[in-house]
Amino acid sequence: MNGIPFVCIATVSLFASCYAVAAEIPVVFTIVESERTSSIRYSTGDTSEQTFQHTGSMEATLSFDPATQSPTAIRFTGGLISESPTTFKNTATMYLHGLGIKKVVFEQSTTGLQMRVNTIGAAHPISPEGKILENDRLESFPIAGILTTKLTIDGRTQTQEINVATNPPDRTEGPVGTDLSLQVFEESRNGRTSNYRIAFITVVDTRRSEFMPNTDTAVTRTLNGSSLAEATFNAPSPFGQWLLENGYELQHDGTQNAAGIPLALLFAFNLPADYRGALPWKAELENGKPMLTLQLPASGLKQAIQIESCSELGSGIWEKVHPSAFVNGQSDLSTGAMGQRRILFTDTYCLFYRITTAENNL
């Protein structure tokens, strides 16, 4: 054979059956961390500050692109959030129209407050960085709890108590946060589907000032803090999405296309599912020595692969080629890897080689 040691190249992959998936995925976020600090300051008096927490859940419909493993839109549809009790108590000396200068005590408290969140209008688009856009349309709406206000002037106190369940406010509470974002993490992959964890991060930092009618006093309200809510969902893996885009069902039990080429390897090399050519590797002499050269796609591997060798096909024993066998230490075959990978053979004259996917359940 012209002095070239015999090298046989083969390809193989395995498979697993999986689930179907909808374009829009229902998710339920559970709040795992939350803290808010709010203050009320009177320009002619003092400042009252409270720290409180939120617990509960938020329901949403998520639009998710498995090919990029990125959310593209989200619409919040409900859930139930509970807020810990708060009490603000302020004293101010102010001019009251018709009464003159008075010392006034304001007390505002909430107990048992529960809220729902809802997206007003269409779903929020999500930026490539995971920012939830048009977040002013995500508003909270109290559905239960007691709101109490007390006003004391000249030692006389007026109290007003509102039961939100029977006397809901005329409007929503306003935007949930000033900076909302989503982060998606692939927790596990089962061939053609993936299990994801999604984090919903809310950052609040607001300040609002306004003059009280018929007085000389301005009130400044601030609110800052953050919260983290998490949800899990199942969707096609990038490979599963590629199968769907190429006309296959996720439950399809075939591992090869009509030309006998493993579908998982076509996906890894970013080739069409009906590809009939050879994979981009070859064995040839270089300076009189046999060299195996594999050309990875310019856009990077879409799935990790590995090269395995076997000295006797009858044994059925295939072993992953050790990284030391690669020229110049370039042995990376992980997702996203690009360039050439080369293996030099010096003392073996009969070897069989094959490419497999790194995950054997595709």
Side-chain angles (χ1 to χ4, degrees):
M1 301 179 63
N2 298 324
I4 301 178
F6 177 66
V7 178
C8 179
I9 298 175
T11 57
V12 69
S13 71
L14 303 177
F15 73 94
S17 61
C18 297
Y19 324 99
V21 69
E24 294 187 335
I25 304 170
V27 293
V28 178
F29 290 97
T30 299
I31 299 174
V32 295
E33 296 177 11
S34 174
E35 185 167 285
R36 299 278 196 276
T37 299
S38 181
S39 70
I40 299 176
R41 179 183 180 274
Y42 286 82
S43 60
T44 58
D46 57 13
T47 299
S48 179
E49 183 175 281
Q50 285 278 290
T51 298
F52 56 96
Q53 292 78 37
H54 287 138
T55 57
S57 63
M58 294 167 286
E59 300 170 1
T61 300
L62 178 72
S63 297
F64 182 73
D65 182 1
T68 61
Q69 296 184 301
S70 300
T72 58
I74 191 168
R75 189 174 190 276
F76 290 85
T77 57
L80 186 63
I81 299 174
S82 297
E83 184 175 291
S84 58
T86 61
T87 297
F88 297 88
K89 191 172 183 178
N90 294 83
T91 300
T93 300
M94 63 178 65
Y95 172 80
L96 300 177
H97 182 70
L99 296 177
I101 297 176
K102 297 289 183 179
K103 180 180 179 180
V104 184
V105 179
F106 300 89
E107 186 173 338
Q108 306 167 55
S109 63
T110 63
T111 57
L113 189 62
Q114 294 183 322
M115 299 166 290
R116 293 182 186 238
V117 294
N118 184 57
T119 295
I120 306 301
H124 308 272
I126 300 174
S127 74
E129 298 77 27
K131 298 292 185 183
I132 298 178
L133 306 178
E134 303 175 15
N135 60 11
D136 59 314
R137 294 191 291 106
L138 176 58
E139 299 182 308
S140 61
F141 186 79
I143 60 170
I146 304 297
L147 310 178
T148 304
T149 60
K150 294 181 180 180
L151 178 64
T152 302
I153 304 176
D154 291 336
R156 292 186 298 179
T157 300
Q158 292 182 336
T159 301
Q160 181 182 27
E161 185 176 279
I162 298 175
N163 186 329
V164 173
T166 57
N167 188 17
D170 294 332
R171 64 180 183 84
T172 57
E173 285 291 289
V176 170
T178 54
D179 187 4
L180 310 179
S181 61
L182 293 175
Q183 294 180 1
V184 175
F185 307 90
E186 186 182 30
E187 299 283 271
S188 62
R189 184 178 296 184
N190 183 24
R192 302 178 185 185
T193 61
S194 292
N195 297 312
Y196 294 96
R197 174 172 59 90
I198 184 168
F200 174 39
I201 303 167
T202 304
V203 177
V204 181
D205 187 6
T206 62
R207 179 185 178 90
R208 185 176 74 249
S209 295
E210 58 186 356
F211 266 94
M212 298 177 63
N214 301 316
T215 74
D216 59 350
T217 301
V219 181
T220 300
R221 301 174 186 268
T222 64
L223 177 63
N224 57 72
S226 63
S227 63
L228 169 66
E230 294 185 339
T232 59
F233 65 95
N234 180 271
S237 65
F239 174 55
Q241 181 66 17
W242 179 85
L243 287 173
L244 293 174
E245 292 172 353
N246 281 275
Y248 291 89
E249 298 290 338
L250 289 182
Q251 298 89 347
H252 174 69
D253 59 2
T255 62
Q256 300 177 341
N257 68 4
I261 304 175
L263 292 167
L265 290 180
L266 293 174
F267 166 72
F269 281 90
N270 201 21
L271 295 170
D274 59 356
Y275 182 76
R276 293 178 175 271
L279 292 177
W281 65 336
K282 59 184 178 180
E284 58 187 354
L285 284 177
E286 184 171 310
N287 298 324
K289 297 180 179 180
M291 183 78 70
L292 180 64
T293 301
L294 173 65
Q295 180 64 52
L296 302 182
S299 58
L301 285 170
K302 297 183 69 175
Q303 169 65 40
I305 63 170
Q306 61 190 33
I307 300 176
E308 298 176 343
S309 66
C310 177
S311 59
E312 295 183 13
L313 286 179
S315 69
I317 300 175
W318 291 86
E319 296 182 351
K320 182 180 177 181
V321 174
H322 194 272
S324 62
F326 288 79
V327 176
N328 297 328
Q330 295 182 349
S331 61
D332 180 23
L333 296 172
S334 62
T335 302
M338 297 179 287
Q340 285 189 340
R341 300 295 180 265
R342 310 172 80 203
I343 300 175
L344 178 64
F345 307 98
T346 58
D347 55 5
T348 302
Y349 281 83
C350 185
L351 284 176
F352 297 89
Y353 285 85
R354 70 181 183 182
I355 302 175
T356 71
T357 54
E359 296 183 23
N360 63 1
N361 59 351
L362 293 182

